[in-house]
Amino acid sequence: MADSPSRTNPLTKVKRAPKWERVVLKISGEALASETSDVVDAKVLERIALEVADARETLGVEIAIVVGGGNIWRGTSGTHIGLDRATSDHMGMLATTMNSLALQNAIERAGQPTRVQTAIQMAELAEPYIRRRAIRHLEKGRVVILAAGMGSPYFTTDTAAALRAAEIGASAVLKGTHSGIDGIYSADPKLEPNATLYEEVGYMDVISKGLAVMDMTAITFCQDNHIEILVFDVSAVGNVVRAMAGERLGTLVR
Ligand code: UDP
């Protein structure tokens, strides 16, 4: 679509500074679904798309998005029915591409130009992932959706988000969770009612205490490459913009 479309986003536009100039927003596949929907809930998709467009417009933050595929297929779904892991992971990467295309369509309906780049070539659908080209799109104000994870089996989209953040020079991975998980707790809050939410926590604490809310490979990669991680609830209205503006929410890992 054209790069200066008419905007339809109804959210209030108050300009302010972003916390980070360039970020990777990681959205779990399941965050696009709901209890009443099939794989993607139209209202959820539209809301997230509007918030991404709003963050671009009001904060000027450069946004790359990595979407998961867990609402459609995970590597483990196939191994449970006898598929080999690599094949099943390829199916998972195709699932992330389906979500990426849905998200692209919704974000462009919100008036924000986008590009999808895939880590597995699908020339009829999208551009291949080319690091310098992704950066150029970001500089031009486009939202870049990075599909098909890293293109390699045995990995997750959390790790893909961390890798891409390092490659494109993003300062943070914003890990959007769902199902009532709004950050990292001292223990599982569903099992331990006294568990407390960390406002900020070190990478090593997350690893040594096993505070699993994100893939450990992704966390160590972010630590090595000085990329901050914000774990926040992407299913709560307004949180995409709040997270990118640096409002106090979720847990910051650094
Ligand atoms: N996947 C992969 N390599 C990657 C990224 C993803 O093989 O670099 C596959 C893997 O099978 C995974 C699936 O894609 O289970 C969906 O991604 P993920 O589980 O990270 O999705 P999410 O949990 O975020 O929805």
Side-chain angles (χ1 to χ4, degrees), residues 18-26 61-65 138 144 165 168-174 243-244:
K19 180 170 171 68
W20 304 276
E21 298 295 321
R22 181 177 292 166
V23 296
V24 172
L25 173 63
K26 161 69 212 291
V61 54
E62 293 179 8
I63 306 169
I65 303 179
L138 292 169
V144 180
I168 65 174
S171 325
V173 171
L174 311 186
M244 294 186 189

Side-chain angles (χ1 to χ4, degrees), residues 26 28-29 68-70 73-75 89 92-93 149-150 152-153 155-157:
K26 161 69 212 291
S28 300
W73 189 267
R74 279 182 207 285
D89 280 341
M93 287 184 265
M150 297 195 286
S152 303
F155 288 99
T156 66
T157 49

Side-chain angles (χ1 to χ4, degrees), residues 26-32 66-78 85-96 99 119-120 147-161 163-164 175-176 178 215:
K26 161 69 212 291
I27 304 172
S28 300
E30 280 170 358
L32 299 180
V66 171
V67 203
N71 54 327
I72 301 171
W73 189 267
R74 279 182 207 285
T76 48
S77 320
R85 174 69 190 268
T87 301
S88 191
D89 280 341
H90 281 133
M91 293 168 71
M93 287 184 265
L94 294 177
T96 75
N99 285 334
I120 296 172
M150 297 195 286
S152 303
Y154 296 92
F155 288 99
T156 66
T157 49
D158 281 355
T159 306
L163 172 68
R164 297 302 188 225
K175 155 93 178 171
H178 57 94
D215 194 299

